[in-house]
Amino acid sequence: MTQYLVAIHHSDDFEPNSESDETRRDIADLNVDMQAAGIVRFVGGLGRTRDAKAVRRKPDGGLLVTDGPYIETKEHIGGFWVLELPDMDAALDWGKRAAVACRAPVEVRAFGTLEERDKGR
């Protein structure tokens, strides 16, 4: 089976403490449902973007470390699940449930495997 990233997007001014009790309950219920379905491989919330660091390779081969996420946008990934599912349709079903529970946009994307990457060589 393929593993899928289900990522929650938040605005950069999002405050986790601003979530309502209802939202927190809905997310907890979703996590229970995912665990019961046996599809969760990893789940985690991410720290604040203001505490993030980005590492870029400089033209001279050195490395540059800067504050903040790698890409400057008005949104960021606030948390995510890695789910093992049979296909994209099943992943989208869970992604839709995540969007409702989290009250936020969700991105669903399949992970590539090392075998797939090696085939391209």
Side-chain angles (χ1 to χ4, degrees):
M1 276 205 242
T2 302
Q3 290 185 345
Y4 292 86
L5 173 73
V6 178
I8 307 303
H9 292 258
H10 291 295
S11 62
D12 276 347
D13 61 354
F14 175 78
E15 287 293 330
N17 295 332
S18 69
E19 288 181 330
S20 68
D21 290 339
E22 182 182 18
T23 298
R24 285 191 286 276
R25 185 188 68 242
D26 289 350
I27 294 169
D29 290 347
L30 178 62
N31 283 323
V32 168
D33 290 348
M34 288 177 172
Q35 289 288 341
I39 59 172
V40 176
R41 296 301 164 255
F42 181 86
V43 60
L46 297 175
R48 297 175 189 268
T49 57
R50 69 175 174 237
D51 298 328
K53 301 290 183 189
V55 180
R56 293 174 176 83
R57 188 169 179 166
K58 298 189 306 188
D60 67 4
L63 299 174
L64 174 66
V65 178
T66 58
D67 291 334
Y70 174 68
I71 298 174
E72 293 186 26
T73 66
K74 294 182 181 180
E75 293 184 336
H76 64 274
I77 295 175
F80 62 93
W81 293 268
V82 175
L83 307 176
E84 192 161 342
L85 296 161
D87 55 39
M88 178 58 88
D89 289 337
L92 281 172
D93 287 342
W94 286 103
K96 290 173 186 176
R97 291 182 64 179
V100 170
C102 296
R103 294 154 178 82
V106 170
E107 177 180 349
V108 178
R109 190 185 307 184
F111 279 95
T113 65
L114 292 176
E115 292 81 17
E116 291 170 340
R117 186 198 70 184
D118 290 344
K119 285 181 191 176
R121 288 185 177 181

